Amino acid sequence: SVSLIAFTTIAFLTIMEFTVYRDTWMKYEYEVDKDFTSKLRINIDITVAMRCQYVGADVLDLAETMVASADGLIYEPVVFDLSPQQKEWQRMLQLIQSRLQEEHSLQDVIFKSAFKSASTALPPREDNSLQSPDACRIHGHLYVNKVAGNFHITVGKAIPHPRGHAHLAALVSHESYNFSHRIDHLSFGELIPGIINPLDGTEKIASDHNQMFQYFITVVPTKLHTYKISAETHQFSVTERERVINHAAGSHGVSGIFMKYDISSLMVTVTEEHMPFWQFLVRLCGIIGGIFSTTGILHGFGRFVAEVIFCRFRLGSYRSTSVPLPDGHTSNHLPLITDNSTH
């Protein structure tokens, strides 16, 4: 029975150890980012509930006080309301976002499944709606310097000039302002399918015509090395704020969507690691040797206990008797009572 228990335990622990050997984990290393010369790519896919001729998007580089080129962005007239299939996609994306906020370890699963999972982009409409476009989808990418900046979407097209920039908003009435928007995708760095970013699936509905939506973003350069991909991307955290512009009440500003980003000085290297085969063999030998040693000790201890109990039983079977000797003396030894002595 001891041998059966030992072999069963060895088999169970070997299977568990093999499961651990097949699994991988993500290792995080931190260092100072010394690359300040390369450009930072911003991937954008935002839908605003205003016509394309009324809105403009650009990036203001806060270090050089100049407008970065936004030629890589496409303005596409669309319908703001999603189709049933698109609404289901958005609901699932928002559910994943809520789970990521609760379980941070799920980010490792996303890193390891990058390029293997389905695309996280908004699926095309399946209902072929004949409704006239009432919104503008601004999507594409642009390159900026790796310094703090401000990407914003506001009323009117941007007009650069030597002292900064302005938006031609005088011809747009305030009643047509509507900065309700949906962020289908926003990322920094190389575009990696399967990676879900913090603002993907975000939808904000404006309660007033003159409303400002602000997103304060901290971008962390990230080098991702897994068994499937090797890419240089960026993670980011975001803080949201929104308020109604009312100069009479002291709430000053410009209506629109403002994404103020800052680049972290630290760089994170995320590497997928695997247990070496030699370490697996050492752990396996330790399991087998440990089980045999433990069962040997238990077997010896059990045998010792059995012998002690059996010896007590044998001592209890003796009793004191007086046996007359031929010379008239009496022997007080305790002979073992046997069947022959009872006759």
Side-chain angles (χ1 to χ4, degrees), residues 304-315:
F304 171 76
V305 172
E307 288 181 352
V308 170
I309 295 175
F310 183 69
C311 288
R312 284 189 176 183
F313 175 76
R314 292 183 61 186
L315 289 175

Side-chain angles (χ1 to χ4, degrees), residues 161-231:
H161 57 82
R163 295 187 178 181
H165 83 295
H167 288 262
L168 189 60
L171 302 179
V172 183
S173 63
H174 285 76
E175 287 73 17
S176 62
Y177 286 15
N178 185 3
F179 284 101
S180 300
H181 62 280
R182 184 177 62 252
I183 304 176
D184 296 326
H185 180 79
L186 179 70
S187 65
F188 298 83
E190 184 178 347
L191 187 60
I192 303 178
I195 297 296
I196 298 176
N197 297 278
L199 286 177
D200 293 356
T202 300
E203 184 175 276
K204 299 290 184 179
I205 304 299
S207 58
D208 192 272
H209 293 294
N210 296 324
Q211 192 156 350
M212 172 189 287
F213 296 91
Q214 293 176 303
Y215 299 91
F216 300 93
I217 300 173
T218 301
V219 183
V220 181
T222 304
K223 290 184 177 180
L224 182 61
H225 301 288
T226 68
Y227 289 104
K228 297 295 182 181
I229 64 171
S230 179

Side-chain angles (χ1 to χ4, degrees), residues 68-133:
S69 175
D71 296 336
L73 298 180
I74 301 173
Y75 294 78
E76 178 185 349
V78 294
V79 177
F80 186 77
D81 291 333
L82 297 175
S83 65
Q85 182 178 352
Q86 290 176 329
K87 288 182 179 179
E88 182 65 20
W89 169 87
Q90 185 186 39
R91 188 187 68 82
M92 291 300 299
L93 194 56
Q94 291 175 348
L95 179 61
I96 294 174
Q97 293 284 19
S98 63
R99 293 291 296 173
L100 284 173
Q101 294 178 1
E102 298 173 359
E103 302 289 342
H104 298 287
S105 59
L106 291 178
Q107 186 65 48
D108 293 349
V109 179
I110 293 178
F111 280 151
K112 289 190 288 187
S113 62
F115 278 161
K116 295 190 300 183
S117 59
S119 175
T120 57
L122 178 69
R125 301 187 69 94
E126 79 284 354
D127 55 357
N128 296 324
S129 176
L130 299 178
Q131 182 181 350
S132 61

Side-chain angles (χ1 to χ4, degrees), residues 41-56:
R41 171 171 168 158
I42 306 179
N43 307 294
I44 300 166
D45 191 350
I46 302 176
T47 301
V48 185
M50 293 180 66
R51 297 185 183 276
C52 290
Q53 62 266 29
Y54 295 156
V55 295

Side-chain angles (χ1 to χ4, degrees), residues 16 58 82 86 115 133 147 170 217 274 278 284 312 327 336:
M16 295 297 294
D58 60 334
L82 297 175
Q86 290 176 329
F115 278 161
V147 293
I217 300 173
H274 186 275
W278 65 266
L284 196 61
R312 284 189 176 183
D327 56 359
L336 180 64

Side-chain angles (χ1 to χ4, degrees), residues 10-11 42 78 89 98 147 164 189 209 254 267 269 287 289 291 313 319 321 323:
I10 289 175
I42 306 179
V78 294
W89 169 87
S98 63
V147 293
H209 293 294
V254 179
M267 180 176 63
T269 301
I287 289 175
I291 293 296
F313 175 76
R319 67 181 180 179
T321 56
V323 180

